[in-house]
Amino acid sequence: MKTAVYAGTFDPITDGHLSVLSSAAKVFDEVIVGVAADNNKKTLFTLEERTQLAKLSTAHLNNVRVEAFSGLLVNFARSQGATALVRGLRVVSDFEYEMQMALFNKDLCSDLETVFFIADATHSFISSSQVRNIASLGGDISKYVSEPVVKALRRKYQDHT
């Protein structure tokens, strides 16, 4: 069985992430969404909230499961029996960063391949930070994220206003 890990902060998970994930789910027997605890970002949602939102948003994908993790991605991927890492590309500017990360991961674990998927054109511009920004200003984000994420963002920003 071919297993891949699609890791990120997912703060929150967007339709852009789901576009990449849907493509990966067609190629791999199992895709694990790895919700990263350790990052250099200040997240809006807690690890538990991000993990739950990812679970709710991916429930329609039968061969996808969601797991929170901490530490090095390559160690998490190995512990899950993964042979590949999934990364999404939205715009050309993503490529340099993603290429650097792929090379580091390959150096850290030569058995893991990085596979890039391009988000479909209707979702290629969506980023979690822009979704959070629009939501914080009371804008309609329903065409960028799943309904559970819409509700969670509304609750978050009502709590902060």
Side-chain angles (χ1 to χ4, degrees):
M1 180 162 88
K2 295 288 182 185
T3 300
V5 170
Y6 181 29
T9 307
F10 303 109
D11 186 40
I13 193 165
T14 68
D15 288 352
H17 294 125
L18 295 175
S19 171
V20 168
L21 185 57
S22 293
S23 295
K26 292 175 189 170
V27 174
F28 293 98
D29 298 316
E30 179 181 42
V31 181
I32 301 162
V33 176
V35 182
D38 305 322
N39 58 58
N40 295 324
K41 302 175 186 178
K42 184 180 182 325
T43 58
L44 175 64
F45 292 101
T46 67
L47 178 61
E48 294 76 20
E49 290 170 326
R50 291 182 284 126
T51 301
Q52 184 62 25
L53 288 172
K55 285 180 180 178
L56 293 170
S57 299
T58 60
H60 65 287
L61 298 168
N62 296 332
N63 62 334
V64 171
R65 70 181 160 92
V66 178
E67 301 287 339
F69 78 98
S70 61
L72 282 175
L73 171 57
V74 295
N75 293 341
F76 173 69
R78 267 189 242 167
S79 76
Q80 299 299 307
T83 58
L85 302 173
V86 169
R87 299 301 299 165
L89 295 174
R90 294 173 301 163
V91 292
V92 174
S93 58
D94 286 347
F95 184 76
E96 186 174 356
Y97 171 80
E98 293 296 345
M99 181 71 171
Q100 183 181 32
M101 292 308 303
L103 292 171
F104 265 114
N105 288 329
K106 187 71 168 172
D107 191 58
L108 291 168
C109 182
S110 62
D111 295 340
L112 277 174
E113 297 296 332
T114 299
V115 181
F116 296 99
F117 288 89
I118 298 170
D120 64 62
T122 58
H123 298 105
S124 63
F125 64 94
I126 301 171
S127 71
S128 295
S129 59
Q130 287 291 41
V131 167
R132 288 191 313 268
N133 184 48
I134 293 166
S136 74
L137 298 170
D140 180 11
I141 54 167
S142 61
K143 58 186 170 187
Y144 310 125
V145 295
S146 67
E147 187 59 27
V149 174
V150 170
K151 290 177 180 176
L153 280 165
R154 284 185 186 142
R155 281 191 306 272
K156 260 313 167 185
Y157 287 115
Q158 285 174 353
D159 292 346
H160 288 99
T161 55

